[in-house]
């Protein structure tokens, strides 16, 4: 904002770096036993995230018009730095069993250990099961020229979700020093060392069909998803010294 503008002159510079590193090790196996097919997957994942940011701002306006630097500040400039690091270690497995290209059963499970949840209670698993029935593989239906493909499916799944980074242990934020005295403040949102992972339970039923040489197709799904133990910051009385606190609360049904 230039000197002489309606608003006070101002300059800021913001830089943010985000890094995510995923390491996966997987073992796969595919086998055929007569009318049965079996596919197995075993794996592990190590994920690490890091966010670094720095914001420099002038305070009180610019000294020299047209010179846009952080040091060209009437009052001592404000520098805000942030570092966030978190990670998750996971193991997972899935099994797919097929019979005569007609019936398929899929099972999967995953177990995560997250650094954003309370230590000692930061592991959770989520799993899924689904059954698919290819109707057009049945005798009689596979002879219909106008019907290319029809599948019935049903499934159930549970999914977990961890907490935002640094929401379980209170930390201090360093503010601009007063002369030679360092100033620190507590976050206005109170952290919660008893947070639990969010959970979503869902089930679905579906019918998929293609016909007339795939010129006409439809896919219909009925599903219900229930999310509970949502992690959210709720308002508290400011007289407590905080404005919000992280809690497990709320339930959403889709």
């Amino acid at each position: 904002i230039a000197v002489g503008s309606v608003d006070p002159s101002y300059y800021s510079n913001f830089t943010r770096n985000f890094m995510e590193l995923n390491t996966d090790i997987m073992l796969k196996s595919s086998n055929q036993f007569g009318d049965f097919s079996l596919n197995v997957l075993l794996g592990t994942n190590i994920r690490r995230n890091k966010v670094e940011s720095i914001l420099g701002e002038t305070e009180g306006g610019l000294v020299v018009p047209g010179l846009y630097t952080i040091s060209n500040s009437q009052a001592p400039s404000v520098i805000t730095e942030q570092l966030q690091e978190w990670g998750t270690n996971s193991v997972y497995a899935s099994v797919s069993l097929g019979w005569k290209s007609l019936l398929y059963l899929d099972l999967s499970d995953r177990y995560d250990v997250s650094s954003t949840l309370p230590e000692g209670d930061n592991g959770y698993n989520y799993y899924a099961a689904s059954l698919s029935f290819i109707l057009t593989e049945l005798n009689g239906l596979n002879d219909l020229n106008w019907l290319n493909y029809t599948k019935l499916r049903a499934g159930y799944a549970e999914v977990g979700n961890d907490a935002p980074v640094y929401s379980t242990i209170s930390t201090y934020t360093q503010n601009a020093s007063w002369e030679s005295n360092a100033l620190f403040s507590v976050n206005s949102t109170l952290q919660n060392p008893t947070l639990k992972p969010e959970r979503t339970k869902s089930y679905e039923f579906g019918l998929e069909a293609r016909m007339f040489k795939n010129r006409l197709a439809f896919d219909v799904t009925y599903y219900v998803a229930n999310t509970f133990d949502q992690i959210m910051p709720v308002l508290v009385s400011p007289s407590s010294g905080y404005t919000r606190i992280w809690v497990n609360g709320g339930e959403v049904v889709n």
Side-chain angles (χ1 to χ4, degrees):
I1 301 176
V3 174
S5 299
V6 174
D7 296 319
S9 56
Y10 172 81
Y11 174 74
S12 68
N13 193 333
F14 179 70
T15 301
R16 182 179 187 269
N17 294 311
F18 173 83
M19 182 274 292
E20 177 171 305
L21 176 65
N22 277 281
T23 303
D24 279 278
I25 300 175
M26 290 180 284
L27 297 175
K28 296 181 179 180
S29 175
S30 298
N31 297 280
Q32 190 76 31
F33 306 98
D35 293 333
F36 292 91
S37 62
L38 179 64
N39 296 301
V40 179
L41 170 68
L42 299 174
T44 182
N45 171 262
I46 300 173
R47 177 170 57 87
R48 295 294 181 265
N49 294 86
K50 183 177 182 180
V51 175
E52 292 179 282
S53 65
I54 181 169
L55 170 65
E57 300 176 282
T58 59
E59 188 73 19
L62 302 177
V63 177
V64 180
L67 179 59
Y68 295 105
T69 63
I70 301 300
S71 58
N72 188 32
S73 179
Q74 292 275 6
S77 56
V78 179
I79 306 295
T80 305
E81 297 177 273
Q82 189 176 58
L83 171 64
Q84 295 180 333
E85 295 179 294
W86 70 98
T88 304
N89 297 331
S90 309
V91 291
Y92 51 88
S94 67
V95 176
S96 179
L97 180 64
W99 178 66
K100 287 187 174 181
S101 300
L102 178 68
L103 195 64
Y104 292 91
L105 175 65
D106 294 283
L107 304 171
S108 64
D109 192 17
R110 181 183 179 109
Y111 185 79
D112 283 358
V113 177
S114 172
S115 68
T116 67
L117 290 168
E119 189 174 358
D121 194 23
N122 55 352
Y124 56 96
N125 75 310
Y126 39 101
Y127 44 85
S130 64
L131 187 65
S132 301
F133 188 20
I134 313 300
L135 297 176
T136 41
E137 294 294 327
L138 290 172
N139 290 332
L141 289 180
N142 56 8
D143 295 329
L144 298 176
N145 294 328
W146 59 272
L147 186 60
N148 303 113
Y149 180 81
T150 305
K151 180 175 73 173
L152 279 172
R153 64 179 184 272
Y156 176 83
E158 287 198 23
V159 179
N161 190 30
D162 56 6
V165 63
Y166 307 143
S167 56
T168 60
I169 300 176
S170 296
T171 57
Y172 290 98
T173 298
Q174 184 177 13
N175 303 306
S177 299
W178 176 260
E179 296 181 348
S180 61
N181 299 309
L183 300 180
F184 290 83
S185 62
V186 177
N187 196 309
S188 60
T189 300
L190 180 61
Q191 318 306 317
N192 187 344
T194 63
L195 287 178
K196 300 182 293 184
E198 294 182 2
R199 306 292 296 177
T200 299
K201 297 181 179 181
S202 62
Y203 61 87
E204 71 169 53
F205 302 94
L207 173 63
E208 179 183 350
R210 299 194 300 268
M211 57 197 73
F212 305 119
K213 297 182 179 181
N214 296 322
R215 290 188 176 92
L216 179 64
F218 67 85
D219 190 344
V220 180
T221 301
Y222 172 80
Y223 71 92
V224 175
N226 186 4
T227 302
F228 57 97
D229 283 337
Q230 289 180 292
I231 299 175
M232 60 181 69
V234 298
L235 295 174
V236 296
S237 171
S239 62
S240 66
Y242 301 93
T243 58
R244 290 176 173 83
I245 181 174
W246 288 106
V247 298
N248 288 105
E251 183 172 333
V252 174
V253 177
N254 295 303

